[in-house]
Amino acid sequence: MLAKITSCATIGLNSIAVDVEVDVRSSGLPSFSIVGLGDKAVEEAKERVRSALKNSDFDLPRHAVVVNLAPADLPKEGTCYDFPIAVGILIGSGQINFDFTNSILLGELSLDGSLRNTAGVLPLALLAKEKAIRSVFVPKINALEASIVDSIDIYPVKNLKQLFLHTVNDQPLTVFPHTEFQQALESDFEFDMKDIKGQEHVKRAMEICAAGGHNILLKGPPGAGKTLLARTLPSILPNLSLEEALEVTKIYSVSGLLKTDEPIVKQRPFRSPHHSVSSIGLIGGSAHPKPGEISLAHHGVLFCDEFSEFPRHVLEVLRQPLEEGFVSISRAAGTIRFPSEFILVAACNPCPCGYFNCNNPVHHCTCSPGQIIRYQKRISGPLLDRIDLYVEVPNVEVNKLAAQNLIAEDSSTIGQRVQKARDRQNERFKDEKVTCNARMQNRDIKQFCQLKTECIDILKKAVYQFGLSARAYQRIIKVSRTIADLTGSENIESAHISEALQYRQRVDF
């Protein structure tokens, strides 16, 4: 008897419907084969399904069983086909009589017949909604993740026996309630701006960075607070919108990093890869490409500490995502695009010992001029040109460190100003495919960043004096637009241009 169950395959961040066709023959020697271009995990599904059926008190077919995963030319990977294969065998052998025509099944089986946590459930639910498929049967532990998608019925399945009782209408499964998206009102962050002593000018730069989504480079001696400032940035970032949250959740769902008790990611991601990371670990890849660190930081922060210690060929892969907001990974089977709109926060020392030009009375630079030049040339000029803000982070004065009654602004207060600036940008770009000022293209700059004569004169002088490129010229205007948004100004003034230029000077690089 032939049975047909609908499941799905995840390609990149999207799901594609896969028909699991099971033919249980009435004659022939006992055998179990799976065809359809499956990987090693799909091939091993035979043993998992065989043990799960036996330990769930179902009869194993005594004749040939052939499973076809169609379309057969699409590579299949992972353990998500265990559940639909098992159900197809039960239907094909006549042990279950139920119509799964308008349903999608997905899940990994344990040897005792229970369903385990499975990656890629959210893309499956979105596919069901897109294809107008009414019912989705998923592992009980993943039901909360799928419930964020409306207009479909989510059935949480604990094991094969529970599904059997549902099909015979003995103990019908209860539809899992839809979960409404709610923005995080108060987030508990480990680091807060009020805990940082001094560094007011750096905090101002971080506020501009958060308000406009700009990339920033922090340069200073060891112990100046660069890492602490970077880890505090998420506490002042604006809330995720529903669309942004779904994009981030899809990435984490496909990567298997989504927490089972949280149906959707509500806080902006913060990723901090070690400087020994490979280029594939950073941008994603492998034979079946998976998201890398830059995609896991989508709509969040990618913090690269010890920026100069990263291999140069690894840093160069950041060029495309910094400029275009996505990364394309090409393999023999095709090309996959992963989103990567993140804020790059880079922190580095001015030299190998870390004390070049730091004006420290105790620590003096011990590096030779050649060592300093080689160290600073580890970061290429084209990559530096894609960074909007350059900030010197000096050592904190001892008076500020020892002050007990020094009151600093907390992250909540700064975050409110950042949120208001982002609200202005959302209103400005409501009819455009632009998420923040940093993502404006040339035509957007011409439309939304009209400059007065005095502003143009200041920019002309800066281009000649600093030798700025055309890209740097455009980025200064974007930063000026963000500063204007923070002050509530509709137009870019000369004061905004002047402040933006202060973050563009580079002496050592």
Side-chain angles (χ1 to χ4, degrees), residues 395-413:
N395 282 316
V396 184
E397 299 177 3
V398 65
N399 294 333
K400 292 183 178 180
L401 280 175
Q404 299 294 328
N405 56 352
L406 185 64
I407 300 176
E409 277 189 314
D410 59 7
S411 294
S412 178
T413 303

Side-chain angles (χ1 to χ4, degrees), residues 58 95-96 159-169:
F58 291 108
Q95 300 179 68
I96 286 182
N159 50 48
L160 290 176
K161 287 185 178 180
Q162 191 180 42
L163 180 70
F164 173 76
L165 296 175
H166 172 75
T167 59
V168 297
N169 207 26

Side-chain angles (χ1 to χ4, degrees), residues 89-90 107 147 169 176 268 272 309 382 414-415 418 428 449 486:
I89 292 175
L90 292 176
S147 66
N169 207 26
F176 199 90
R268 293 186 180 271
S272 180
E309 299 296 337
I414 300 175
V418 170
R428 181 184 304 127
C449 300
L486 284 169

Side-chain angles (χ1 to χ4, degrees), residues 46-65:
K46 294 186 293 187
E47 304 303 325
R48 290 192 297 271
V49 170
R50 183 181 285 112
S51 297
L53 291 175
K54 179 181 178 181
N55 294 324
S56 299
D57 298 329
F58 291 108
D59 295 329
L60 292 173
R62 298 183 179 181
H63 301 291
V65 176

Side-chain angles (χ1 to χ4, degrees), residues 271 273 277-286 290-296 302 314 317:
R271 305 294 298 183
V277 66
S278 65
S279 57
I280 292 179
L282 199 60
I283 67 171
S286 78
K290 295 293 184 182
E293 288 291 337
I294 62 174
S295 296
L296 293 172
L302 178 68
V314 174
V317 303

Side-chain angles (χ1 to χ4, degrees), residues 33 37 82 85 109 185 241 246 262 295 303 378 385 387 417 438 507:
S33 59
L37 211 58
D82 295 0
I85 289 174
L109 283 175
L185 299 178
S241 64
L246 284 175
E262 295 182 2
S295 296
F303 175 46
R378 291 182 181 181
D385 208 34
I387 297 177
R417 294 198 297 267
V507 178

